[in-house]
């Protein structure tokens, strides 16, 4: 397993996929040896020096704590890290949509974490363990850190991160949900957590079947009409982002608070939870006998 980089950047930056390619060598992808951080720093676009949000040390400390706490159960690190990553890296959705930010975090600040979390045997079952390139510089729903930040953003209930823990505790859910725009409807996201909490859908096939049914039903049923949402308070988010400079380190043993931009209406979550549970009864699930 690769070690902590010898040259750690003091601040986050923007690293394009093209600039990252030369550093994604076979030794790194096999998890045997890191890269030269000094050379990598030469191709990074700097972020504003006067913005405290781009300090790399708090993020580095987070991933080290995750690797220590979950050293024998690495998949469980997602549920712990996602809310704390979101609360530490206080960025807007527009900023979080820039893949270059996440590529720099993965390749320059925490490549050892990416290797620790995502080094695996190929799905085909043959060959040596390796890391998929997408974990360093891939789509937002696949990249090691962006997938966790976006899961926290989509599944938080206002400032409450507890639904994020439940969501990230199920790899099939976050893998399926983050690929669909429908999850941007907050009552839908919260209802999914509740449906799983009822034990309605548990296996990967069942979750995919449920998500497919929800997505198909959404083409003819406007979920906003069935389960209206309250607009988020943009000022609360702006204040939360602006407070990054004075914010203390996120707690390790209890959940931090997210931006207090308003909870999801409870009646909307209840309505969609019941609807999704009924929808699942007739959803086509591979390997399950037809219902009714």
């Amino acid at each position: 397993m690769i070690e902590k980089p010898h040259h750690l950047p003091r601040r986050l930056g923007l690293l394009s996929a093209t600039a990252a390619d030369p550093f994604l060598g076979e030794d790194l992808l096999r998890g045997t040896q890191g890269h030269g951080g000094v050379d990598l720093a030469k191709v990074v676009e700097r972020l504003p020096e006067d913005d405290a949000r781009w300090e790399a040390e708090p993020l580095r400390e987070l991933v080290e704590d995750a690797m220590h706490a979950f050293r024998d159960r690495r998949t469980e690190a997602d549920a712990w890290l996602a809310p704390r990553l979101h609360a530490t890296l206080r960025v807007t959705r527009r900023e979080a949509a820039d893949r270059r930010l996440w590529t720099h975090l993965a390749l320059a600040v925490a490549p050892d974490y990416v290797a620790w979390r995502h080094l695996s045997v190929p799905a085909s079952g043959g060959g040596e363990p390796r890391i998929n390139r997408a974990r360093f510089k891939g789509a937002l729903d696949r990249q090691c850190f962006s997938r966790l930040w976006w899961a926290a953003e989509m599944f938080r209930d206002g400032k409450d991160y507890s639904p994020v823990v439940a969501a990230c505790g199920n790899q099939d859910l976050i893998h399926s949900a983050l690929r669909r725009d429908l999850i941007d409807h907050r009552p839908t996201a919260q209802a999914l957590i509740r449906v799983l909490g009822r034990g309605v859908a548990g296996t990967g096939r069942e979750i995919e079947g449920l998500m497919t049914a929800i997505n198909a039903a959404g083409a003819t049923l406007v979920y906003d009409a069935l389960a209206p949402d309250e607009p988020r308070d943009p000022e609360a988010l702006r204040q939360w982002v602006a407070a990054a400079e004075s914010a203390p380190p996120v707690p390790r043993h209890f959940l931090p608070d997210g931006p207090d931009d308003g909870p999801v209406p409870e009646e909307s979550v209840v309505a969609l939870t019941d609807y999704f549970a009924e929808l699942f009864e007739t959803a086509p699930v591979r390997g399950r006998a037809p219902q009714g």
Side-chain angles (χ1 to χ4, degrees), residues 24 27 33 70 100 140 151 160 171 210 257 265 267-268 278:
L24 292 172
D27 287 341
Q33 185 175 337
F70 298 94
R100 297 175 299 167
L140 295 174
D160 180 13
Q171 297 295 309
L210 173 62
D257 286 335
E267 60 274 16
S268 293
E278 293 175 5

Side-chain angles (χ1 to χ4, degrees), residues 165-186:
V165 175
C168 291
N170 189 310
Q171 297 295 309
D172 294 308
L173 174 62
I174 58 173
H175 176 67
S176 183
L178 290 181
R179 293 186 286 113
R180 293 175 164 89
D181 293 338
L182 196 62
I183 204 66
D184 199 27
H185 182 241
R186 298 196 305 161

Side-chain angles (χ1 to χ4, degrees), residues 24-184:
L24 292 172
E26 282 300 305
D27 287 341
L28 177 64
L29 296 177
R30 288 198 298 264
T32 58
Q33 185 175 337
H35 57 78
V38 175
D39 292 334
L40 179 64
K42 298 175 182 177
V43 295
V44 174
E45 180 181 333
R46 296 188 178 187
L47 289 166
E49 291 285 340
D50 60 350
D51 195 331
R53 295 181 300 155
W54 310 129
E55 294 292 333
E57 184 178 0
L59 296 168
R60 181 65 217 181
E61 291 175 349
L62 263 185
V63 300
E64 289 184 359
D65 287 349
M67 287 189 287
H68 175 74
F70 298 94
R71 54 188 175 273
D72 298 322
R73 43 200 173 97
R74 58 182 182 167
T75 59
E76 294 181 25
D78 288 356
W80 184 88
L81 184 57
R84 291 168 176 84
L85 173 66
H86 188 276
T88 299
L89 188 54
R90 299 190 180 193
V91 294
T92 64
R93 287 190 175 192
R94 176 177 293 183
E95 291 168 328
D98 191 337
R99 295 188 190 184
R100 297 175 299 167
L101 178 68
W102 304 110
T103 301
H104 185 254
L105 174 57
L107 198 52
V109 179
D112 51 331
Y113 181 86
V114 181
W116 173 82
R117 175 61 184 85
H118 291 292
L119 183 69
S120 59
V121 175
S124 61
E128 297 180 349
R130 63 186 289 113
I131 310 161
N132 190 315
R133 286 173 176 265
R135 299 304 186 181
F136 286 102
K137 63 163 197 170
L140 295 174
D141 64 319
R142 294 285 291 161
Q143 202 269 357
C144 177
F145 296 109
S146 63
R147 64 190 283 271
L148 299 181
W149 191 96
W150 280 102
E153 175 65 10
M154 295 303 189
F155 284 104
R156 66 182 177 87
D157 185 3
K159 67 177 182 179
D160 180 13
Y161 283 122
S162 57
V164 178
V165 175
C168 291
N170 189 310
Q171 297 295 309
D172 294 308
L173 174 62
I174 58 173
H175 176 67
S176 183
L178 290 181
R179 293 186 286 113
R180 293 175 164 89
D181 293 338
L182 196 62
I183 204 66
D184 199 27

